[in-house]
Amino acid sequence: MTDDLLGRHRAVLPDWLALYYDEPLEITHGEGRHVWDAQGNRYLDFFGGILTTMTAHALPEVTKAVTEQAGRIIHSSTLYLNRPMVDLAERIAKLSGIPDARVFFTTSGTEANDTALLLATTYRRSNTLLAMRNSYHGRSFSAVGVTGNRGWSPTSLSPLQTLYVHGGVRTRGPFAHLDDYDFVAACVDDLKDLLGHTRPPAALIAEPIQGVGGFTSPPDGLYAAFREVLHERGVLWISDEVQTGWGRTGEHFWGWQAHARSGPPDMLTFAKGIGNGMSIGGVVARAEIMNCLDANSISTFGGTQITMAAGLANLTYLLEHDLQGNARRVGGLLIERLRAAAAHVPAVREVRGRGLMIGIELTKPGTDEADPAAASAVLEAARAGGLLIGKGGGHDTSALRIAPPLSLNVAEAEEGAAILEDALRSIQ
């Protein structure tokens, strides 16, 4: 990036619009699992535009679908019948696992979660919500109001009354010392106690794996146990699948399926990867919930023809090439390779994750104290080695986030792991 572009950025865009790197990077083009910057440097991309370039950069099937659709019509709004929107909605409804499902398209995960909160509070006639500590659900006023991560919550004002529940982080907090069975039992008891002190809330919104929170997750089955308690009280379960959906975890197509004992959620939200870079988000809900609104509504840019064409082509490619299976196989190799490398780095507290959704938490050696400076140093060193990764975490952004496109191959996984190992060793 030239100094001129950086200066122009700072002059016209908000100060709080974060940029990675001491010398910010301008990405000009990409192909497969690689991107190039304005100086011609090539990088292996292990962050995919914040988990959004899900299949590959410049995927020919998606590029072709977008080009052909752009030559016909780009947009008409939801006031007219829209064949690509209906086609994609039918496929997502079937894949969701939710019975009698209806799909509403938005332009982002934030807007999807905002819609889910509107539906839940209207359906239940309550503005009280349950959310997880260390969670992130978006940037809008209502989504910030259910975000349990101080670093991404710029205001305490909210239209919602939010109560935060234990369980999203397995290795921190008052129950961290327990085994998985007792951890789940303690979190359920805490939830029951909380519900005994408040009027029944509208819903629990939860990420099966917390994205911005540093790819943390509870033991499998926690949300199923929560669901049984909530169902007795008529409280809805919203699964935020903005980062976990579409097979990224390898073991499951949706993150909620790791907690499937009590069946699918009442609603799920999605975004990011389905568009492979195009702006698609949405909500899937049972018909009685989706149809509870008694006023007119539209989505001007949600479900527009060009994004739906991209989504259809991307989803078809994902399923036909079994990218969920690839995430399981290659992701399994990558996480074991990173665990082996991290064993020799005292600053690494934990390597965690599933499939191609891996977090590395850094602390000051010998302590549980977060070390955001170390995370920034590794981010810089990885870039210098030709690898792009992300950051996150609820403890001062001290976790590295690794989420390559799902078409990552073994050789690229080995290459990225080697660069990351060198970057980790460089902070010792």
Side-chain angles (χ1 to χ4, degrees), residues 96-110:
S96 74
I98 294 175
D100 193 22
R102 299 292 188 274
V103 182
F104 177 76
F105 288 106
T106 66
T107 60
S108 68
T110 289

Side-chain angles (χ1 to χ4, degrees), residues 25-264:
L25 181 69
E26 180 191 0
I27 294 175
T28 58
H29 61 287
E31 182 178 350
R33 276 71 56 194
H34 292 87
V35 294
W36 284 258
D37 68 15
Q39 284 70 48
N41 299 307
R42 178 176 178 262
Y43 303 92
L44 182 58
D45 185 4
F46 267 29
F47 204 35
I50 320 179
L51 291 83
T52 296
T53 306
M54 180 173 66
T55 46
H57 290 280
L59 187 71
E61 288 82 352
V62 173
T63 301
K64 181 174 182 288
V66 168
T67 301
E68 291 180 350
Q69 183 61 54
R72 294 191 291 271
I73 187 168
I74 292 175
H75 168 74
S76 67
S77 88
T78 54
L79 292 172
Y80 305 95
L81 286 173
N82 179 333
R83 189 174 300 274
M85 182 169 68
V86 173
D87 289 343
L88 186 55
E90 287 175 339
R91 298 192 70 179
I92 292 174
K94 185 175 181 179
L95 288 166
S96 74
I98 294 175
D100 193 22
R102 299 292 188 274
V103 182
F104 177 76
F105 288 106
T106 66
T107 60
S108 68
T110 289
E111 192 187 348
N113 285 332
D114 192 71
T115 302
L117 296 173
L118 170 65
L119 291 169
T121 53
T122 302
Y123 183 76
R124 292 278 298 147
R125 309 305 300 169
S126 169
N127 74 331
T128 301
L129 272 295
L130 300 175
M132 304 303 294
R133 300 178 186 191
N134 195 51
S135 60
Y136 175 82
H137 297 290
R139 182 190 51 71
S140 68
F141 192 41
S142 69
V144 164
V146 294
T147 286
N149 186 318
R150 172 63 186 85
W152 293 92
S153 184
T155 177
S156 61
L157 302 175
S158 175
L160 304 168
Q161 177 183 340
T162 304
L163 306 172
Y164 291 99
V165 181
H166 284 296
V169 183
R170 177 64 184 91
T171 60
R172 286 186 182 270
F175 307 140
H177 64 286
L178 301 173
D179 64 26
D180 283 356
Y181 179 85
D182 289 336
F183 180 94
V184 170
C187 291
V188 170
D189 286 344
D190 177 73
L191 173 63
K192 289 179 179 177
D193 181 69
L194 177 66
L195 292 172
H197 295 281
T198 184
R199 296 183 66 83
L204 165 71
I205 183 168
E207 306 155 273
I209 298 177
Q210 294 180 328
V212 170
F215 293 168
T216 62
S217 62
D220 287 356
L222 174 73
Y223 294 120
F226 278 5
R227 175 73 183 283
E228 292 172 4
V229 174
L230 299 174
H231 186 69
E232 292 174 358
R233 295 158 176 81
V235 179
L236 304 176
W237 172 26
I238 304 167
S239 186
D240 180 342
E241 301 278 353
V242 169
Q243 297 196 31
T244 51
W246 318 109
R248 177 163 288 281
T249 69
E251 296 179 26
H252 305 288
F253 194 76
W254 303 107
W256 69 259
Q257 290 170 319
H259 308 268
R261 184 176 74 214
S262 58

